[in-house]
């Protein structure tokens, strides 16, 4: 290995490790013949390290051979530790089964030890979460699984801070995702409490990270790339209810097609459990219609 630089060696080791995990997990999925969760990882140049994620394969994936599936990418809430993504893919796959729909679910990590609340932003070298989620992850998943490998087969969904991440990342990357759903999310970057806005260092950066500032451009953007934008919030969500209502009014006044709902409940897992099946069905049905 003389002449191989340290960074190249590290990428090679991480790629081999990810491939080994993928092969082992894929074998388990084949043996069960039903839904299976694959734990995997990729080397991310955007993060200068490993991006871990879970993939939940639909029942019958191993036997379908040539069939290609839509993909639901799902972002968890923040602040969080490096393992917060675990368990999410299996929960969502169960909800899809209950809905009678089939899709691959991909749940990536959205935080690392020492970086618990990056808000799915690009912060600079080694900390570019948006790029990792919007570019590197779909490319890897399309290479290794039988996906519908274009925007018509991809949804980006998230809850709480992940709802913000889903909205802002997908709006920045409409060439990658055709369905956007925010579950109890917000629409501008906040501090860990969720109450205060983050200052990203300039008016340009702050506007780019704020979904409200993008509303005026969405009619033309959605005409060029048809997109489902859908979001909901609980009526007792004291932090995020008002902002969700505000975005609904802004979209309506600008003639931007969207779905919005307010449900009884707070900012809680019970709310997300109650509506996961219906909202995943909404996403998959839109992908199927593309």
């Amino acid at each position: 290995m003389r002449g191989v630089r340290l960074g190249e060696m590290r990428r090679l080791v991480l790629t081999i490790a990810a491939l080994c995990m993928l092969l082992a997990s894929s074998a388990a999925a084949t043996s069960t013949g039903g839904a299976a969760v694959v734990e995997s990882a990729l080397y991310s140049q955007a993060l200068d390290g490993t991006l871990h994620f879970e993939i939940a394969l639909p029942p019958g994936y191993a036997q379908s051979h040539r069939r290609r599936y839509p993909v639901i990418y799902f972002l968890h809430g923040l602040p969080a530790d490096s393992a917060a993504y675990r368990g999410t893919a299996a929960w969502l796959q169960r909800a899809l089964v209950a809905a009678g729909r089939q899709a691959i679910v991909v749940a990536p990590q959205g935080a690392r030890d020492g970086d618990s609340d990056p808000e799915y932003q690009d912060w600079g070298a080694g900390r570019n979460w948006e790029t990792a989620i919007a570019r590197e992850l779909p490319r890897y998943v399309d290479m290794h699984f039988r996906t519908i490998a274009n925007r018509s087969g991809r949804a980006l969904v998230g809850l709480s801070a992940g709802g913000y991440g889903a909205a802002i990342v997908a709006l920045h990357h409409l060439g990658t995702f055709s369905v956007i759903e925010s579950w109890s999310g917000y629409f501008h970057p906040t501090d860990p409490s969720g109450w205060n806005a983050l200052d990203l260092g300039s008016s340009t950066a702050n506007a780019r990270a704020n979904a409200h500032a993008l509303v005026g451009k969405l009619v033309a953007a959605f005409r060029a790339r048809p997109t489902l934008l859908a979001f909901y919030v609980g009526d007792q969500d004291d932090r995020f209810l008002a902002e969700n209502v505000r975005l609904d009014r802004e979209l309506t006044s600008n003639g931007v097609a969207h779905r919005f709902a307010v449900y009884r409940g707070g900012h809680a897992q019970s709310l997300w459990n109650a509506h996961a099946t219906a909202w995943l069905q909404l996403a998959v049905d839109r992908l199927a219609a593309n």
Side-chain angles (χ1 to χ4, degrees):
M1 290 291 183
R2 184 181 300 172
V4 177
R5 290 178 296 179
L6 179 60
E8 294 171 341
M9 177 68 77
R10 189 162 78 177
R11 285 192 289 273
L12 177 61
V13 169
L14 289 170
T15 299
I16 292 171
L19 180 59
C20 289
M21 285 191 291
L22 175 63
L23 291 174
S25 299
S26 295
T30 300
S31 67
T32 63
V37 176
V38 176
E39 174 79 24
S40 194
L42 62 87
Y43 175 79
S44 167
Q45 290 185 334
L47 299 177
D48 191 24
T50 306
L51 177 67
H52 296 275
F53 53 96
E54 285 185 334
I55 300 182
L57 303 172
Y61 177 89
Q63 289 74 40
S64 59
H65 303 300
R66 295 183 180 179
R67 179 176 177 181
R68 293 190 172 271
Y69 295 85
V71 184
I72 306 290
Y73 291 88
F74 194 91
L75 306 183
H76 63 73
L78 298 170
D81 62 30
S82 59
Y85 67 96
R86 291 196 173 114
T88 302
W91 164 52
L92 297 170
Q93 192 59 253
R94 289 192 296 270
L96 280 169
V97 170
R101 301 297 188 270
Q102 289 202 315
I104 295 169
V105 179
V106 179
Q109 71 179 111
R112 295 183 291 196
D113 295 338
D115 190 12
S116 65
D117 190 28
E119 292 288 282
Y120 297 101
Q121 298 287 312
D122 277 351
W123 294 96
R127 201 178 173 222
N128 287 328
W129 288 93
E130 178 177 322
T131 297
I133 298 299
R135 299 189 182 278
E136 295 175 329
L137 182 59
R139 183 167 59 241
Y140 182 94
V141 171
D142 288 342
M143 288 176 61
H144 292 89
F145 296 88
R146 295 196 312 278
T147 67
I148 298 171
N150 54 59
R151 74 179 302 272
S152 68
R154 300 191 195 103
L156 189 57
V157 183
L159 63 81
S160 192
Y164 165 69
I168 203 66
V169 172
L171 289 175
H172 289 167
H173 298 273
L174 289 176
T176 302
F177 305 100
S178 63
V179 172
I180 308 166
E181 286 188 5
S182 170
W183 303 0
S184 299
Y186 46 90
F187 302 101
H188 68 286
T190 70
D191 68 3
S193 74
W195 288 104
N196 305 304
L198 283 182
D199 183 352
L200 302 187
S202 71
S203 58
T204 299
N206 289 337
R208 186 177 187 277
N210 190 325
H212 301 282
L214 305 178
V215 168
K217 302 177 181 179
L218 293 185
V219 169
F222 288 0
R223 185 183 303 120
R225 293 188 170 101
T227 302
L228 170 64
L229 172 59
F231 52 105
Y232 75 77
V233 69
D235 63 358
Q236 298 171 47
D237 192 330
D238 56 351
R239 283 180 298 178
F240 305 136
L241 173 60
E243 187 176 17
N244 277 257
V245 171
R246 174 189 165 195
L247 183 65
D248 171 55
R249 290 173 177 167
E250 291 170 345
L251 293 167
T252 299
S253 65
N254 281 271
V256 181
H258 64 287
R259 298 278 193 95
F260 175 56
V262 178
Y263 296 118
R264 180 173 298 176
H267 197 81
Q269 188 67 45
S270 57
L271 181 73
W272 308 322
N273 286 341
H275 300 286
T277 295
W279 279 69
L280 290 174
Q281 180 176 329
L282 173 66
V284 174
D285 287 353
R286 175 56 182 259
L287 294 176
N290 286 336

